[in-house]
Amino acid sequence: MSRLVRLLVVCLALVAVLAPAAAAAPKRADTGLANELEREVVQRVNALRAERGLPAVRIVDTLVQAARRHSRAMISHDEFSHESPGNGEAFDRRIRRFHQARLLGETLGWGSGAYGTPAGVVQLWLDSPPHRAILLDRAFARIGVGLARGTFQGVAGASVWTADFASAR
């Protein structure tokens, strides 16, 4: 058997051995759940936009990363603010480290129980005129939602949400 053929056989054997192990590897407990919940928030936002004849916003990975990092930072610093906990960086500068756009917006929310759910946080945003304006702004075409869970403001099991919005360019 030639050296190249042996190498190919070894590579195929490794793929056959490693592929099932990778598929069975445990995922972080919150990863799948958080992604599902983040997508549900976007679906709810898009349903509201559709009811008003507005175009849907599209999930963009860079905005998801920015939103998740901010939610996690708020939990870890026990601070609720559009500015970055710890250093006070403005939200637009923080988001632009991940995603470039002409226009940016951000909504934050947190709660537990019903207020910690996608339906609860979207309703909180709708009940707040400035947040509602961001959700329903025609200029926004992209979104990233980030969820972090933990003890926040003395509440165990709190959900802290960040939704970062961006224009198409």
Side-chain angles (χ1 to χ4, degrees):
M1 199 182 314
S2 76
R3 183 177 178 150
L4 181 59
V5 171
R6 275 185 281 161
L7 182 59
L8 183 59
V9 169
V10 168
C11 287
L12 289 174
L14 282 174
V15 168
V17 169
L18 295 177
K27 296 179 181 176
R28 279 189 32 218
D30 66 340
T31 301
L33 182 61
N35 288 337
E36 180 181 323
L37 295 174
E38 292 162 352
R39 282 192 307 272
E40 184 179 338
V41 167
V42 175
Q43 290 167 351
R44 289 176 176 279
V45 168
N46 280 334
L48 292 167
R49 292 172 67 92
E51 289 171 6
R52 290 154 179 86
L54 298 169
V57 289
R58 181 176 58 89
I59 298 172
V60 176
D61 289 343
T62 53
L63 290 171
V64 172
Q65 292 172 344
R68 282 183 181 161
R69 280 216 185 149
H70 189 61
S71 290
R72 289 176 184 155
M74 287 191 292
I75 286 263
S76 68
H77 287 86
D78 204 30
E79 290 181 29
F80 191 70
S81 174
H82 290 285
E83 295 179 347
S84 294
N87 68 9
E89 180 180 36
F91 88 94
D92 58 328
R93 290 192 66 190
R94 172 178 39 79
I95 295 169
R96 282 194 173 97
R97 284 191 279 119
F98 294 88
H99 185 87
Q100 293 297 313
R102 180 183 54 78
L103 182 63
L104 297 170
E106 181 172 80
T107 59
L108 306 176
W110 79 273
S112 62
Y115 293 111
T117 66
V121 75
V122 171
Q123 189 59 55
L124 286 172
W125 291 335
L126 278 175
D127 292 342
S128 163
H131 292 95
R132 180 187 186 93
I134 292 169
L135 296 181
L136 302 177
D137 190 327
R138 180 178 291 281
F140 292 128
R142 299 178 176 150
I143 189 173
V145 176
L147 167 64
R149 288 190 160 150
T151 299
F152 187 69
Q153 305 286 311
V155 177
S159 296
V160 176
W161 301 90
T162 301
D164 288 334
F165 292 80
S167 58
R169 298 201 192 288

